[in-house]
Amino acid sequence: MMTIFNRNRIFLCMVLSCFISCGSNNSIEDQMIDPPQEEENPQQVDTLTYSEKAKATYDMIQKLYKNGDLYKENFPQQSGDREYSYLWPYVGMLTAGNVLFELGYDRSIFEKEFSGLEAYYDNRSTLPSYQAYPVSGGSTDHYYDDGSIVVMELLQAYKLTKEAFYLDRAKTVTEFVMSGEDSRMGGGLYWFEAQSTDCTGGANCIKATNTSAYAAYITTELYKLTKEERYLTFAKRVYQWVYDTLRDPSDDLYWNDINIATEQINTTKWTYNAAMMIMSGINLYEITDDQIYMDQSVTTARASFSKFTKVINGQLFFQTNDPWFNVELLSAYIELAQYDSKSTEYIDVFINNMDYAWENAKNDDDQFYEDWSGNNQGRYYWLLHQGALIEAYGRIALYKNE
């Protein structure tokens, strides 16, 4: 989860630059300013498919980041790095395993990534789940957002293989995630387990959009697979809590969290919080046929495009930091596109960003800059930022039926 608070895997927060679009009914072209003219003698275009680009990015990560059966947190190594990466960036590689398997690459990639995941599994007697660092390194915190993103990949693995292990493990970890909800502040989920039992103050004593929206999403997914009513009841309740408590009514986007002790809202807005509310809303619409959920998802999609894009180098770019967050929004737009034609325009902007990044935002080791516009390398060294590109190219390859 990205907050302003200290955590080994949390980095500097920034002030998001807003690009105000011309309005939800205007085309993307209307928002462009002085687009560059085509060269008379353009250079040869890269002929790799998006599927091949996803695999090439995966291979680069194997070369630079691989550490035994797991990965390094950063390359090059940064001050304070431990032997292995934390769970959050590792889940980015789980996603890579799923996406590459779905694209038709060898199953051994998929199996390797899910085998490595077990290094993080804390098989404790009560609410077993994955912890933030491999258990070989000692006991660490259990985060509700980490748990949810693992469940997302376990459920996708089940859909791809129909192997019961993945569904059973997803159910187990979901029990842990659901335990993060209580009635304080009217509902919602804490950030991590240690704060859920006795927090009375401090920066981390919060209920958060991401934990709650992720929890709503995975429980709707489980409801679809199991038809267990308790999952749907939970999902509807938690989704509504986020909508009522952490939605900014001025733009229909979502604030980051609310402090339990002070009731102060952290008004930072992130692309992935919008993404998970869109995806949760889509699922709830599909399950209930209640149009309100689809309307809310479409509204948030419109608002997120206006909020999180701006013109750089003559073309639109999504925010120039935290690409993994942005790829979550790409996934949401892809899910929404079957219901909302406008979302295809948003996807096209993402594709343009990814094309530009391939040619203009990589270093000599073929690591992508954090900023896909190529203007700033940023925290290019973080595993999660590199893994995000595997997912991005892979999602587009699937979207285009490559």
Side-chain angles (χ1 to χ4, degrees), residues 186-230:
L189 274 73
Y190 295 89
W191 180 19
F192 57 95
E193 188 177 48
Q195 291 291 310
S196 70
T197 56
D198 61 358
C199 81
T200 57
N204 294 331
C205 188
I206 60 174
K207 296 286 187 77
T209 293
N210 74 336
T211 52
S212 304
Y214 272 118
Y217 178 72
I218 63 171
T219 47
T220 54
E221 287 287 287
L222 275 170
Y223 175 79
K224 287 182 172 183
L225 291 168
T226 68
K227 303 305 180 186
E228 291 186 33
E229 196 67 29
R230 68 191 185 95

Side-chain angles (χ1 to χ4, degrees), residues 14 27 32 81 84 89 186 218 259 285 291 301 309 318 332 356:
M14 33 59 75
S27 68
M32 301 291 288
D81 280 1
Y84 302 114
I218 63 171
N259 189 283
Y285 168 75
Q291 185 65 35
T309 59
F318 281 86
Y356 192 93

Side-chain angles (χ1 to χ4, degrees), residues 74-92:
N74 299 291
F75 181 86
Q77 181 174 327
Q78 302 295 300
S79 176
D81 280 1
R82 300 181 68 176
E83 184 176 5
Y84 302 114
S85 77
Y86 285 89
L87 178 60
W88 185 17
Y90 189 87
V91 176

